[in-house]
Amino acid sequence: MNRYGMIIDLNKCSGCYNCFLACRDEHYGNDFPPITLAQPFQGHFWMQMIEQERGKYPKVKVSFIPKPCMHCDDPPCVIASVNGAVYKRPDGIVMIDPEKSAGQKEILSSCPHRVIFWNEEKNIPQKCTLCAHLLDQGWEEPRCVEACPTGALLFGDLNDPKSEISKVWNSERAEVFHPEFELKPKVKYIGIPKRFIAGTVIFKDRDECAQNAKVTLTGRGKKQTVRTNNFGDFEFEDLGEGEDFTVKIEHPGYTSHSFKVQTKLDVYLGEILLKRSSRK
Ligand code: SF4
Ligand code: SF4
């Protein structure tokens, strides 16, 4: 028996919305009973796209996070439903029965990821089915995975040790989105955005970008060093949230600078002016 999973590599996602459009193309106007009925014209995002902006001007980064139903192993939507309206198939897909779920609007608020949508016209809750109607016909992947031009969506059988997804699933790279929900999802992510610390170093006496300054980040018992680029910019990525760090900037002939920084948010230290050190 297959046990399906998906890994979404955010480092590869360009935010093109092809996955969302493929889902819409498959499900808008098409009934697939008993798996699901057609999506309505508006208001449903079975493959949602979160556009996450980080930092502030002039250092702003945008990450795209496609978010389907996570097909959890401990799904509160199943518990919230009455009469077995939401159930988990042996292959791991969490399904909403379009007949049994009629009128059960309260199922929507049971999902902390908010990926269940209400179909007003049909009076039913609906969400991503991983295109189970296609998998049951022998398709190897859902429409969103097939449509992704960058290979950001990896889908397959977690029970097959030779499958691509099995090789990555239990590695440190594959992370759970919102692990605090404790739902044991069957969708994982690579490259979930963390915090960054960045800055721009300037030689005050010359009013020029300070290229090749040494910038050292210390914190959590670790030390990393980078060099500023042609524009005097430096950056440390993938830092934990709410942690304390020290940033030290050094360049021969100039007085070094140190900053205490907390990563509650992403941090841009702005322009840091290096003064010439006084001669002895
Ligand atoms: Fe249910 Fe939400 Fe988990 Fe999907 S992500 S299985 S809707 S709890
Ligand atoms: Fe990202 Fe692929 Fe979806 Fe495009 S189709 S938004 S690249 S996951």
Side-chain angles (χ1 to χ4, degrees), residues 8-9 12-20 47 49 64 66 144 147-153:
I8 301 178
D9 187 342
K12 292 183 180 171
C13 176
S14 62
C16 70
Y17 280 77
N18 274 13
C19 48
F20 164 80
M47 179 58 110
M49 184 63 70
F64 297 98
C144 55
C148 177
T150 64
L153 305 177

Side-chain angles (χ1 to χ4, degrees), residues 199-216:
T200 305
V201 186
I202 309 274
F203 292 127
K204 187 164 187 252
D205 57 328
R206 291 187 259 157
D207 195 21
E208 275 176 16
C209 300
Q211 187 182 350
N212 208 31
K214 181 180 169 191
V215 188
T216 308

Side-chain angles (χ1 to χ4, degrees), residues 68-78 86 88 94 96 107 110-116 127-128 183 185:
C69 165
M70 303 283 158
H71 298 277
C72 313
D73 277 351
D74 282 342
C77 53
V78 170
V86 188
K88 193 163 176 75
V94 173
I96 302 180
I107 292 172
S110 69
C111 171
H113 287 291
R114 297 289 184 262
V115 291
I116 310 179
K127 65 167 192 70
C128 158
L183 303 178

